[in-house]
Amino acid sequence: MSADINKLEQIASQVRRDIVRMVHACQSGHPGGSLGCTDYFVALYFHAMKHDPSFNMDGIGEDLFFLSNGHISPVFYSTLARAGYFPVSELSTFRKINSRLQGHPTTHEHLPGIRVASGSLGQGLSVALGAAQAKKLNKDNSLVYVLMGDGELQEGQVWEAAMYAPHNKMDNIIAAVDYNRAQIDGSTDEVLNLGNLRAKWEAFGWDVLEVDNGNDMTAVIAGLDEAKSRTGKGKPVIILLHTEMGSGVDFMMGSHKWHGVAPNDEQLETALNQIPRTIGDY
């Protein structure tokens, strides 16, 4: 399946506008990681995954996605809305009272596209492996995707799941790590150094590939296509996705300080001037 890179980049630009507007409107949320992961989400939902916006919780016969680092919900919600899961206009309710778009994704809100409540870090890989194992038991050849933050890899449960997957030959899962080297309190090197992540995952028995520029749509598409080609060969697959926190907004880029801070009015205007409006604001 060939990708229309220009079209995907236009969608990504609009998603970035959605993110900064959503977080600004409620003066709450996590713009940094959301902006950094935008290209991955757009590539996933508009190119790589086989999915149905009419949304069935069982997900039989379609690829599934689980967001482990649930605090980057703005990019998840925007992508789902732009992919047709719910009205784009609903993005204006983000983090408002009685909104289905809570700060962290929740299932009790019955928002189409959300398969698990997430944001308690370290749990997403375990959930995704459960879904992947169920697909194997059901003879369903679809794939399961999961995204984790790099700071999240400081959680022990991740490594329990990392052991479980190769032992059970879970070769229908494609995990990804948002490898921006930043977390809420500083750089991952300063808070708790992750060491050689590639060597760690390989030692645990995973097939590891790296995308050196996770904010370049062509590179992300190539990485996802390569990851898909490696499934079904007896090993789980993981992508180390090198991204930049705040990508697309110059004053947010490269700083952990924008992990969970909303822009003020002036900063919003500056950000929107840097991100082209392509398919229309909500």
Side-chain angles (χ1 to χ4, degrees), residues 90-152:
E90 194 168 349
L91 296 176
S92 65
T93 71
F94 176 65
R95 282 184 175 245
K96 304 289 179 64
I97 297 294
N98 298 322
S99 171
R100 297 195 295 178
L101 279 61
Q102 293 295 302
H104 291 75
T106 60
T107 49
H108 70 268
E109 301 290 352
H110 303 294
L111 185 68
I114 306 300
R115 298 189 179 278
V116 64
S118 63
S120 294
L121 298 178
Q123 299 178 0
L125 184 58
S126 299
V127 172
L129 286 170
Q133 197 154 39
K135 283 193 176 291
K136 280 189 172 288
L137 291 169
N138 292 334
K139 305 292 191 282
D140 182 340
N141 293 323
S142 307
L143 297 173
V144 176
Y145 294 83
V146 58
L147 176 66
M148 299 172 279
D150 53 358
E152 179 177 8

